[in-house]
Amino acid sequence: MRIDSPWLPRATCDASCVMATEAPAGQRVVVAWRVAIRATFAFLLLSVVPLLAIPVPGRSHVQRSYCRLMLRCLGVRITVSGGPIRNLEGVLVVSGHVSWVDIFAIGSVLPGRFVAKSEMITWPGLGILARLMKVIPIDRDDLRRLPDVVAAIAGRLRAGQTVVAFPEGTTWCGLAYGQFRPAMFQAAVDAGRPVQPLRLSYHRRDGQTSTIAAYVGEDSLLASIRRLITAQRTIVAVHVESLQLPGADRRDLAARCESAVRGDPTRSAQGPALVA
C-alpha cells in the first residue's frame, strides 16, 4: 500500500493507465516461448549479481553492460540521445520515475548509487541487486529521517560518487507526471555539485508512447515483470539534458531540472547550465 505524505504524494495513475498485453489466440504459443526464454535468461543474469560487488578495473563499464543485458532479457531496447555524458565526479542524476525498469535504464548510461524506497531491499531478486549497489534507502514511514538521507547524499557527492534520485517521489505512468520535490536537490546545493537531468520515455515498436513498463497503483512486482516480458518489444529512450549547476536555491534547481526532464528548453535555460 502506498503512503501519502508531503514528500511522497500518491500518484493519480492506476491500473487503468497500463496498456493490456493480451496476445491474439494464434500467437499465444509464440508469446509463451518468448516469456520462457526471457524469464530464463533474466534469472540466470540475476544469479551472477554478486559479481558486481567485486572491485575490478572498469567496474562502471561492467555495470553498464550488465544493465543493458538485463534490459534485453526483459524485452527492452534502449536508445540514448542528447548531449554528451560528462565524466565528472560527484554528480546528482535525476529523472522522472515510471518503473523499477528505470534503474536498469539509467544504470546502463550513468551507473551510480540509487536513492530508493526502503521496501525495495526486501524485493525478490532486485533486493539483492539493491543491496550490492548500496542503495540509499528512504523510509516512507518515517520522513523525519529525510534530512539524514539528504546529508548522506551530499556526503557521497563530495566523495566524488554519482548518486541517482527520482524527485517525483513515486512512480507515474509516463503519460502523467508528478512535480519534482526540492528536498533531494538540497544535497547538490550543500555539496556544490552539478545535477545531470535525464529524460526517460517508454515506447512501442511503432514509436507510440507505451505504459507497459509503468509500475503504478497497486501493481505487484511479479505482475509488472510478467507484463513486460510478455510484450513483443519495449523501447526506453534516454535523452541526456544539459548539466545544471547547483546555484544556491534548491527550488530553482528543482524547477530547472524538471523543465529539462519534461523537454521544456525555455524554462530550463533560465538557470545556470553547462551546455554541450
Side-chain angles (χ1 to χ4, degrees):
M1 182 176 180
R2 299 179 186 269
I3 301 171
D4 293 330
S5 75
W7 162 243
L8 232 101
R10 185 182 180 90
T12 56
C13 302
D14 55 27
S16 64
C17 298
V18 181
M19 299 175 182
T21 58
E22 185 68 26
Q27 297 182 14
R28 288 176 184 172
V29 173
V30 174
V31 171
W33 274 105
R34 179 191 304 152
V35 170
I37 292 172
R38 288 176 176 175
T40 299
F41 278 101
F43 178 80
L44 291 174
L45 201 55
L46 278 176
S47 69
V48 301
V49 160
L51 296 178
L52 295 179
I54 300 176
V56 296
R59 183 177 175 181
S60 294
H61 178 73
V62 172
Q63 290 179 342
R64 288 190 185 97
S65 298
Y66 182 90
C67 288
R68 284 179 178 267
L69 281 174
M70 181 57 76
L71 288 174
R72 283 187 171 271
C73 289
L74 296 170
V76 180
R77 299 295 184 268
I78 183 170
T79 64
V80 182
S81 61
I85 299 173
R86 297 174 182 270
N87 294 320
L88 298 177
E89 294 185 348
V91 177
L92 178 63
V93 180
V94 298
S95 79
H97 201 11
V98 175
S99 171
W100 51 271
V101 185
D102 300 344
I103 294 175
F104 295 107
I106 295 175
S108 67
V109 178
L110 276 171
R113 312 296 189 185
F114 283 83
V115 181
K117 58 184 181 181
S118 56
E119 302 97 290
M120 184 179 176
I121 304 297
T122 64
W123 284 4
L126 292 179
I128 298 175
L129 182 61
R131 289 190 291 271
L132 289 174
M133 294 178 69
K134 298 181 180 179
V135 162
I136 304 172
I138 292 181
D139 189 345
R140 297 155 62 98
D141 295 326
D142 190 1
L143 295 178
R144 292 174 298 179
R145 297 183 180 179
L146 183 58
D148 295 333
V149 175
V150 172
I153 296 172
R156 295 196 180 191
L157 292 175
R158 292 190 190 98
Q161 297 181 11
T162 298
V163 179
V164 183
F166 300 106
E168 286 172 307
T170 189
T171 51
W172 294 70
C173 70
L175 299 177
Y177 306 98
Q179 182 181 2
F180 273 20
R181 302 285 164 160
M184 291 295 103
F185 294 93
Q186 186 63 47
V189 172
D190 291 344
R193 301 305 303 161
V195 182
Q196 176 63 74
L198 298 179
R199 192 191 327 160
L200 269 63
S201 57
Y202 292 84
H203 306 272
R204 301 191 310 231
R205 295 182 65 183
D206 60 5
Q208 295 295 314
T209 302
S210 172
T211 58
I212 288 295
Y215 184 68
V216 294
E218 302 302 321
D219 207 359
S220 71
L221 178 61
L222 291 179
S224 177
I225 293 174
R226 181 181 181 277
R227 185 170 61 245
L228 193 65
I229 64 178
T230 300
Q232 187 172 14
R233 178 177 295 178
T234 301
I235 299 170
V236 55
V238 180
H239 189 84
V240 181
E241 298 292 341
S242 297
L243 197 69
Q244 300 290 317
L245 297 178
D249 185 346
R250 67 180 184 181
R251 295 185 183 279
D252 172 69
L253 179 57
R256 283 188 277 125
C257 290
E258 181 177 353
S259 297
V261 167
R262 303 296 178 236
D264 184 352
T266 302
R267 289 183 57 193
S268 61
Q270 293 175 355
L274 294 178
V275 182

